[in-house]
Amino acid sequence: MGYTSDLRVMLTGNFTTMEPVFPSGGAPTLNVRGLNVLHQLRRKQFVYAWENKTDSQIARDIARLTDRETGKKRFPMPIEIDPNAQAKEPQIEYVAQNNQYDIDFLLGRARQRGYVMFIQEKDPKVRGSKRRLYFGPSQEGQIPGLRDVTFKLEWENRS
């Protein structure tokens, strides 16, 4: 997003529709709709259960589990977990994933715990850096790979 040589990445995802609008009494506009990268993680729904685990342990398990039918990993990327938060989490006696996508199940667990989840893109400046999912508390300046950037959108009327 931006103008001429001042372009910045604000969102990564897939465009689903682009609809131009040409009103008779105003400037034309372009309505753009899309899905963020999380929709790509909705591959297959699973039924699974955990006993006496914390939410972070469950997230770590999901990153390691394989699909019985294909033999491939269920989740396509590593999951980054905050070790300090994990140490403070209570064990949950029983948690069931009932015919859900792994990403939707994790989003629900994060919501219940008050955690955030987002994709950390590969850092080209760090050797061996990989794209991964962060699952943990929101702590400004302490989440590895999180950019400290705020974007402000303004409308400039050039009449």
Side-chain angles (χ1 to χ4, degrees):
M1 187 157 240
Y3 189 72
T4 63
S5 63
D6 187 22
L7 299 175
R8 297 186 180 148
V9 175
M10 292 183 63
L11 178 70
T12 304
N14 296 58
F15 292 111
T16 56
T17 61
M18 295 189 342
E19 300 169 355
V21 178
F22 302 101
S24 60
T29 60
L30 180 65
N31 294 326
V32 179
R33 291 186 181 91
L35 297 169
N36 70 15
V37 296
L38 293 178
H39 89 279
Q40 297 170 353
L41 301 175
R42 288 187 175 107
R43 296 176 167 192
K44 185 176 177 183
Q45 294 173 314
F46 293 97
V47 174
Y48 202 83
W50 290 267
E51 293 182 12
N52 300 314
K53 298 263 187 163
T54 67
D55 282 316
S56 291
Q57 288 171 329
I58 291 169
R60 183 167 282 128
D61 283 352
I62 286 176
R64 294 177 182 159
L65 288 170
T66 56
D67 183 348
R68 290 179 183 154
E69 293 176 11
T70 65
K72 295 181 180 181
K73 288 182 73 171
R74 282 176 36 169
F75 205 77
M77 67 180 64
I79 299 177
E80 178 85 20
I81 296 168
D82 183 321
N84 295 324
Q86 181 179 350
K88 298 174 187 172
E89 291 177 8
Q91 278 195 345
I92 304 165
E93 190 173 320
Y94 182 82
V95 176
Q97 178 179 357
N98 188 13
N99 202 32
Q100 293 174 283
Y101 296 106
D102 286 334
I103 190 65
D104 292 336
F105 176 73
L106 285 173
L107 282 165
R109 299 308 313 159
R111 188 176 306 117
Q112 284 190 336
R113 179 81 29 230
Y115 283 176
V116 296
M117 279 181 35
F118 59 88
I119 302 289
Q120 294 175 310
E121 294 297 335
K122 176 181 175 180
D123 187 346
K125 298 175 187 173
V126 178
R127 187 176 182 200
S129 172
K130 295 180 181 179
R131 187 180 201 203
R132 60 192 185 265
L133 181 85
Y134 174 78
F135 179 92
S138 175
Q139 296 177 0
E140 187 175 330
Q142 295 192 13
I143 300 172
L146 182 62
R147 297 180 299 163
D148 188 19
V149 177
T150 302
F151 292 101
K152 182 178 179 183
L153 300 177
E154 295 180 354
W155 180 262
E156 183 177 342
N157 191 354
R158 295 184 182 204
S159 334

